[in-house]
Amino acid sequence: MATSSSASQILCASFNQDNSFFSIGTKDGFKIFEAKTGRLCYEKTLGAFSIVEMLFSSSLLAIVGAGEQPSLSPRRLCLFNTATGANLRELSFLTSIVAVRFNRKRLVVLLQDKAFIYDLNKMAILDEFETVPNTKGLCAFAPNSEGCYLAIPASNTRGSVLVYDTLQLQSYCQIDAHRSPLAALVFSSTGMYLATASEKGTIVRVHLVSQATKSYNFRRGTYTSTIYSLAFAPSLDIPDILIATSSSGSLHIFLVEAVINGSRQNKLLGSVMPDSINDAFDPANHHVVHNLVPAGVKSYVTVNRIENLPNTSPNLAFRASIYVVTQNGYFREYLLQFLKLNRSTWGVEREFNLLNVTSDSC
C-alpha cells in the first residue's frame, strides 16, 4: 500500500465522460491515463492542481491550480490542449473555483456561491446565477448533450437538489431528496436518472428527473458513513446497476433496473431470481464488497462495462468491470460476477501505483 506521504500527493481524480480515460492532479502536476490499458498518456509537471477534467477522449482539459504556486491560482481556469501543450483560453474569477464540468456543448464553472454557464464552442458566457454555499463543489453534470442537466445543492440544511437545464438556461426542477445535507450526486448516462446520497449515508436514492417526486430507495447500511463516489452503469435507458464507495472501505452495488421495472426478472438476471419484490430495501437488490480500499481513504469509482451472460454458464448471470482510483495513489480494476440465486463473487483484475508509472504516449 501507499505510504502516508504518497497518499497526500493526489489532490483530485476524475474519469472522462465515457470512462475511457481518467486524470489525477497531484502536488507536482497532473497525469492522464488510458483506463483500459493503464498507460500514462500525458503528464505535466509544473505545480499543484486541484481540478483536472477531460473532455471525452479529446486533447482538451479543464485545469485549475491548487494555489500553492503564484502562477497556479485557484481563481483561474485554464483550457489546455495536451496535443500542443498550449493554453487555449484562461478564465479568471473573483473567488476560488470549486468545480468544473463540461460536455460537447456546455462548460460549467462553480464558485463557492455562484455558477457560470458557457457555450463551450464559442466560449461565450450564457448565464450566471447565485447558489447556496457549496465549498466542496458538489455537483453532477449529464454527459449526454441532449439531456444537458446540472445538479447542485439547493439547501445547506436539507438534501434538496436543484436541477438546471443548461441548454434552455433555466431551472428544470427541485428534488427534495434527503433530510440531511447532500454528500454525493451523479446522473445516468442520458441524464434521465439522478442518484443522491446525504451526509448520513445510510440511504441512496435514485430519482426520475422528469418526475421530481418519483424516487427509488436503496439502503447502504444502518450506520453513518460518508459516500465518496456514486456511478451508474452505462446505459441508453434504465441503468442496470448503481455503485457506491464509502468511508467504510466497502463497495456497494444496487440492482437499479430490477427495482425500477418493479420486477426481479430484469434483463440481466432473466428469470433466475426468486419472485416478488415490494421494496428496494430488499437485501436482494444490494450486494457488498467489503474492504475494497482501506477505511477512510477517498475513492473514485465508475462502471466500465456490464456483460449479460445468460447462456455462457449454468451459474453465472452477468458480470461487471469496475474501475476504482484511490486517493492513496492506486488504480484497481475489479471483476464482479453475479451468480444465479442472488450470489456474487469478485476479484482484482489489475492494480498499479499511479505515482510510479512512466509516460507512454497513447
Side-chain angles (χ1 to χ4, degrees):
M1 299 302 294
T3 64
S4 59
S5 60
S6 65
S8 64
Q9 287 183 325
I10 291 187
L11 304 180
C12 66
S14 67
F15 290 90
N16 69 341
Q17 294 85 349
D18 59 12
N19 304 323
S20 57
F21 291 84
F22 66 93
S23 58
I24 63 170
T26 72
K27 290 188 174 182
D28 300 320
F30 61 85
K31 298 181 178 183
I32 306 296
F33 295 86
E34 184 180 38
K36 183 178 181 180
T37 64
R39 287 185 297 172
L40 175 59
C41 299
Y42 188 89
E43 63 178 327
K44 190 79 170 178
T45 304
L46 45 79
F49 285 87
S50 60
I51 295 174
V52 183
E53 297 286 335
M54 183 176 183
L55 181 63
F56 288 91
S57 301
S58 73
S59 60
L60 183 61
L61 300 180
I63 54 178
V64 178
E68 296 186 7
Q69 293 82 15
S71 60
L72 297 176
S73 170
R75 296 182 289 108
R76 183 168 61 247
L77 167 66
C78 175
L79 295 181
F80 183 82
N81 188 328
T82 58
T84 62
N87 293 346
L88 299 178
R89 181 75 181 269
E90 290 188 352
L91 298 172
S92 294
F93 299 88
L94 295 178
T95 59
S96 295
I97 300 166
V98 295
V100 177
R101 297 290 187 272
F102 58 174
N103 60 15
R104 292 189 174 97
K105 291 186 177 181
R106 295 290 186 261
L107 168 68
V108 176
V109 181
L110 297 183
L111 309 185
Q112 292 186 11
D113 56 3
K114 206 164 190 178
F116 295 84
I117 314 297
Y118 292 85
D119 182 314
L120 180 64
N121 297 307
K122 298 178 180 179
M123 280 311 300
I125 187 166
L126 301 174
D127 195 14
E128 60 180 272
F129 55 92
E130 294 184 352
T131 68
V132 300
N134 186 14
T135 57
K136 295 181 180 179
L138 182 60
C139 66
F141 192 47
N144 188 303
S145 297
E146 299 306 316
C148 208
Y149 298 128
L150 168 70
I152 55 177
S155 171
N156 288 128
T157 58
R158 295 180 62 85
S160 298
V161 186
L162 170 66
V163 178
Y164 180 88
D165 188 331
T166 65
L167 292 182
Q168 300 299 320
L169 302 177
Q170 62 185 13
S171 174
Y172 182 80
C173 67
Q174 181 169 313
I175 299 173
D176 295 324
H178 303 270
R179 295 180 181 178
S180 302
L182 296 168
L185 298 166
V186 71
F187 277 110
S188 62
S189 302
T190 61
M192 185 183 301
Y193 294 94
L194 175 70
T196 63
S198 73
E199 291 180 351
K200 190 175 181 181
T202 55
I203 302 295
V204 175
R205 290 194 168 96
V206 174
H207 313 271
L208 180 61
V209 176
S210 62
Q211 300 178 33
T213 58
K214 181 72 171 178
S215 64
Y216 306 88
N217 305 310
F218 298 88
R219 182 174 293 282
R220 181 210 56 82
T222 57
Y223 58 89
T224 298
S225 184
T226 301
I227 301 296
Y228 287 143
S229 183
L230 292 169
F232 283 107
S235 175
L236 295 177
D237 190 14
I238 302 174
D240 300 305
I241 63 174
L242 171 71
I243 59 176
T245 57
S246 69
S247 56
S248 68
S250 299
L251 172 71
H252 300 265
I253 306 100
F254 305 104
L255 303 182
V256 173
E257 196 266 351
V259 172
I260 290 178
N261 278 342
S263 169
R264 297 270 281 283
Q265 299 180 356
N266 75 347
K267 63 187 178 184
L268 287 176
L269 298 180
S271 59
V272 301
M273 296 182 69
D275 294 332
S276 81
I277 175 171
N278 298 314
D279 197 339
F281 287 149
D282 188 333
N285 299 305
H286 178 206
H287 294 251
V288 185
V289 177
H290 295 288
N291 303 315
L292 187 84
V293 297
V297 174
K298 189 173 184 180
S299 53
Y300 309 82
V301 65
T302 194
V303 183
N304 173 37
R305 69 181 186 279
I306 283 188
E307 294 180 77
N308 183 17
L309 302 169
N311 301 317
T312 303
S313 166
N315 297 315
L316 184 62
F318 73 96
R319 59 190 178 196
S321 170
I322 309 295
Y323 293 155
V324 180
V325 174
T326 63
Q327 205 160 27
N328 65 345
Y330 284 85
F331 171 89
R332 297 185 181 95
E333 179 181 3
Y334 293 88
L335 183 64
L336 306 179
Q337 299 193 105
F338 293 81
L339 308 176
K340 297 175 183 180
L341 301 179
N342 196 37
R343 293 183 295 117
S344 61
T345 64
W346 64 277
V348 179
E349 295 289 291
R350 290 184 293 150
E351 177 181 16
F352 59 90
N353 190 316
L354 299 169
L355 303 174
N356 296 333
V357 177
T358 57
S359 181
D360 181 15
S361 179
C362 291

